[in-house]
């Protein structure tokens, strides 16, 4: 287990032995993919619709710069899919269990050596669906907004 994982500064929206940053490292996500997945995964436990809007904003920028990015060879697809399953299963049967839409975002961004523009459009559809579902609702879970 990581020495950093048990500690969280400012809240409790990240919980568990296998955290988002572990997934980012193991699946070699780029900056944009990491930010998009971070906000999609935490929205129910921190800032709700605002986090989904942030994910959409990062996706918008990712689509703008996508043609300029140099493809980076990453782990083979099977290994990456196994990491997504491991991450998802680490929260199964808990209040943090991933919805099917959240899991789809992870699979689209984490499973391949490089996602393509059709994958990014599918991620956008997922984020828009999550925003529509959570628009106007407060975040769930044990998060306490410390700015209030």
């Amino acid at each position: 287990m990581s020495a950093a994982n048990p500690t969280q500064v400012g809240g409790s929206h990240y919980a568990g032995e296998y955290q988002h940053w572990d997934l980012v490292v193991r699946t070699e996500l780029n900056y944009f993919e990491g930010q998009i997945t971070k906000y999609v995964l935490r929205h129910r436990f921190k800032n709700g619709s605002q986090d989904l809007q942030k994910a959409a904003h990062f996706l918008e920028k990712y689509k703008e710069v996508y043609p300029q990015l140099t493809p980076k060879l990453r782990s083979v697809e099977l290994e990456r899919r196994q990491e997504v399953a491991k991450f998802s299963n680490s929260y199964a049967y808990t209040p943090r269990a991933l919805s099917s839409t959240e899991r789809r975002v992870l699979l689209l961004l984490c499973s391949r050596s490089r996602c393509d523009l059709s994958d990014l459009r599918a991620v956008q559809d997922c984020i828009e669906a999550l925003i529509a579902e959570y628009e106007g609702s407060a975040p769930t879970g044990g998060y306490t907004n410390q700015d209030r």
Side-chain angles (χ1 to χ4, degrees):
M1 178 168 84
S2 165
N5 283 7
T7 304
Q8 180 172 338
V9 177
S12 61
H13 48 279
Y14 299 115
E17 188 173 315
Y18 190 19
Q19 294 188 23
H20 177 260
W21 56 24
D22 299 315
L23 177 70
V24 169
V25 169
R26 291 179 184 147
T27 58
E28 302 173 353
L29 297 183
N30 70 34
Y31 175 75
F32 294 101
E33 294 164 342
Q35 293 299 307
I36 295 163
T37 56
K38 172 181 80 173
Y39 287 116
V40 166
L41 292 174
R42 81 175 199 184
H43 79 277
R44 290 184 292 137
F45 306 100
K46 190 167 182 192
N47 294 324
S49 183
Q50 182 184 43
D51 278 345
L52 294 169
Q53 296 289 338
K54 288 179 180 182
H57 191 211
F58 273 99
L59 178 62
E60 178 182 359
K61 182 64 177 179
Y62 187 27
K63 287 166 48 179
E64 284 178 14
V65 301
Y66 181 85
Q68 303 163 27
L69 298 177
T70 304
K72 177 183 172 189
L73 292 177
R74 299 187 281 196
S75 309
V76 295
E77 186 173 333
L78 178 60
E79 292 171 359
R80 293 168 60 92
R81 290 179 83 75
Q82 288 171 338
E83 280 301 321
V84 170
K86 182 178 176 182
F87 180 84
S88 298
N89 291 340
S90 72
Y91 292 104
Y93 309 111
T94 73
R96 295 187 172 277
L98 302 181
S99 71
S100 60
T101 307
E102 293 164 338
R103 186 177 172 98
R104 180 159 166 70
V105 169
L106 280 183
L107 287 170
L108 287 164
L109 291 175
C110 301
S111 295
R112 297 205 190 118
S113 60
R114 184 171 192 228
C115 57
D116 59 30
L117 289 175
S118 66
D119 294 329
L120 298 183
R121 283 190 290 276
V123 169
Q124 182 175 0
D125 291 343
C126 289
I127 292 171
E128 288 172 0
L130 288 168
I131 290 171
E133 183 179 340
Y134 287 98
E135 193 67 49
S137 66
T140 60
Y143 175 71
T144 303
N145 187 341
Q146 296 159 354
D147 296 331
R148 291 185 192 170

